[in-house]
Amino acid sequence: MLIRRKPDIPSSEITDEKVYWNRRAFIRAAAGAGALALGAPVVNRLVAAAAGGRRDGGGQQGALEDKLNTYEEITTYNNFYEFGTGKGDPAKYAHTLRPRPWTVEVTGEVHRPRVYDIDELLKLFPLEERVYRLRCVEAWSMVIPWEGFPLASLLERVEPTSHARFVEFTTLYDPEQMPGQRRAVLPWPYVEGLRLDEAMHPLTILAAGLYGKVLPNQNGAPLRLVVPWKYGFKSIKSIVRIRLVREQPRTTWNLVAPHEYGFYANVNPDVDHPRWSQKRERRIGELFKRPTLFLNGYADQVAHLYAGMDLRKYF
Amino acid sequence: MVVRTQGWWVRRVVKPAVFVLALWPLAWLVRGALAGDLGANPIEKITHWTGFTALTFVLLALCVTPLKVFLGLPALVHLRRMLGLYGFFYALLHFGVYWVDQTVFAGVGFSPRLVAEDVLERPYITVGFTAFLMLVPLAATSADRMVKRLGARRWRALHRLVYFAAAGGVLHYLWKGKMEEDWAVAYGLLLVGLLSWRLVAGRLRERARAVPARGVMGVVPAHPSPLEVGD
C-alpha cells in the first residue's frame, strides 16, 4: 500500500457509540435485503474501521489537529447547484432526489462495459471508512468520515482498454428530481473528469455514506466521487455514468469559467483563485483560518502524479 | 382639535418606526450569534448579511424620491437621510467584519497589510472598498448645517456620489457570487430603474418648468416642483 499510516486519531474522537451502532442500519439500508448473506464480512470490516483501522486523513498535517466536523455541519453546508446555489439549499431541497432505484453506467474504453444497479455495486465492493479533509475552492474546509470504496476496484473490474487515458463522470440530469437544473446557472448535467492515474489512485474513492450512515441526498446520494487532494467541485455527486475516454474530458466549472477553474483543480496555496487567495482556509467550526496545505496535505501520497508539471499552468 | 400634517406623521410616527425597524438586521445577527444559530460558517453569514443590508439601505434611500412622487407623499423625504446613514452604518460593519476576518482571524493582528493587498489585488474587493469610501463623505456631510456650509448646489453635486456607490455595491455583489445571485441581479435592475427614472425625470422637470401646468409623468403636481430629484 502506498499510503503511509499517520498517527491515528483516537477512535473515541471519531466515532461515538451511537454512530457505531448506526452502522448496522446503514448496511441494511445501503445493501438492501439481498445483502443479508454478505452482512457479516461487511460488518467486520466496518468494525475494524471504527476501532481505528484505517485513517487516511493523516498526511502532512502541521501542528494543527484535524478534528471531525459534525454530521450537522457536513449535511447542512455545502454546494450542490442541482438544488440551488445557496449553501443551505441542498439540505433544504434535496428531498426530491430519489436515490433508489439507481443505476451507474460504466462504459467507454473498457472491455466489460456494464450498467450496475447501485445495490449491486455496494455488494461487490465493501465499504470502508475514510476520514478525509475536504477543501472547497471557496476557501473553507471540513474533515469528513466517508464510507466508500476505491474507484480503482470498479475500474479494474470493467478492464480499461489500452486507449483509456481519462475518466469522465456525469451527474443525473432530471429537473424533476433536481429542481436547480430548471435554471441554466450551469450547463447541465454536471460533468467532471480525472486522469486515469488519478482515478486509479488508492485515495480516490466512490462514497456511499458518511458518519456510518447512508449518504444523505444533499451530499450526493447514492454515489459520489471523493478526491481529497483536489478542490471539492471535482468530487462529483449523484453519479449516473462513468466513461473511460481517450481525450481529456470537459468539466463543468472549467467550461463556465476556464480562467478560474482548471481541469486539475489540485489544492494549492501558491496558486490563487483570480478573485481570492487560496493561501488560507476556514475550517468549518473554527474562527481562525488555517494555512492551506499543498495538495490538501496529501502530497506524500499524490505529488508524484504531477512530477515535472507546471502547476500554475495546469491549475 | 389638532390637525396633523403629512410631515408630522412622517417625522413623528413613520421615522421613529423605520429607525427601530432598521435595527432589525443587526438584532437578528446578534441574536443568531448568541444562540449559535448562524449556520456552519457564521463569519461568512455575518459578512454577507451586513453587506446585503448595507446595499439594501442605500437603494432604499435612493427609492425615496421616486416614491414620494409616485405616492404623492412629499414628506417621505424626511426618511432619506436616515436610510442613507443606515446604509453607511451597515457598510461600516461589513467592512469591519471583513477586516477582522482578513487579519485577526488570519493570525496577523490588525495589520492593514493583508487588507491593502486584498483591496489592490482583487477587483471585486477594490470595487466594494471604493463604494464604501464614497459613502464616507456622504455620511460626513449628512447634517443640515453641512448643507448650509457647503451650499445646496455643491452639496447636491457631492451627494450624486451615492449613485456611484450603489453601482459599486451592486457590482461587488454580482462579482463576488458566481453570477447566480438572484438578489444581486434584482438590485442591479432596481438601480438601473432608479438611474433611468432620475435621468428621465430630470429632463421632464426641466420641461415642466417651461410649461408649469402640465404635470410630470402622469402625476399632477400637488405642490410646486414635486420632482426635487437632485436634492
Side-chain angles (χ1 to χ4, degrees), chain A residues 262-279:
Chain A
F263 172 79
Y264 285 93
N266 289 319
V267 175
N268 192 338
D270 298 326
V271 180
D272 282 348
H273 187 283
R275 283 181 286 153
W276 57 82
S277 164
Q278 297 290 27
K279 286 186 189 64

Side-chain angles (χ1 to χ4, degrees), chain B residues 160-177:
Chain B
R160 282 194 194 116
L161 263 184
V162 72
Y163 283 95
F164 293 94
V170 167
L171 185 60
H172 170 71
Y173 189 8
L174 278 169
W175 207 336
K176 160 68 189 167

Side-chain angles (χ1 to χ4, degrees), chain B residues 1 6 13 18 29 32 41 44 63 65 70 74 85 98 106 127 134 139 146 155 157 165 175 184 199 201 213 215:
Chain B
M1 203 185 121
Q6 192 187 92
V13 181
V18 173
L29 266 190
N41 198 345
E44 180 189 66
C63 286
T65 301
F70 286 117
L85 282 173
Y98 156 77
V127 169
M134 287 193 275
M146 290 307 288
W155 187 90
W175 207 336
L199 294 173

Side-chain angles (χ1 to χ4, degrees), chain B residues 40-98:
Chain B
N41 198 345
I43 302 290
E44 180 189 66
K45 174 79 93 191
I46 294 170
T47 310
H48 288 175
W49 183 249
T50 48
F52 176 77
T53 309
L55 188 55
T56 305
F57 276 108
V58 169
L59 289 172
L60 277 176
L62 285 175
C63 286
V64 165
T65 301
L67 276 181
K68 78 179 187 185
V69 173
F70 286 117
L71 301 176
L73 293 172
L76 285 181
V77 74
H78 295 299
L79 300 176
R80 194 169 54 188
R81 171 168 55 197
M82 194 177 68
L83 292 170
L85 282 173
Y86 264 116
F88 175 69
F89 169 68
Y90 282 105
L92 190 64
L93 285 180
H94 179 63
F95 180 66
V97 172
Y98 156 77

Side-chain angles (χ1 to χ4, degrees), chain A residues 9-10 13 61-68 133 143 283 286 290:
Chain A
I9 305 166
E13 230 177 60
Q61 49 202 40
L64 289 168
E65 182 192 5
D66 281 319
K67 251 182 78 184
L68 281 192
R133 284 180 290 273
V143 180
R283 179 65 51 79
E286 294 179 356
R290 293 166 171 252

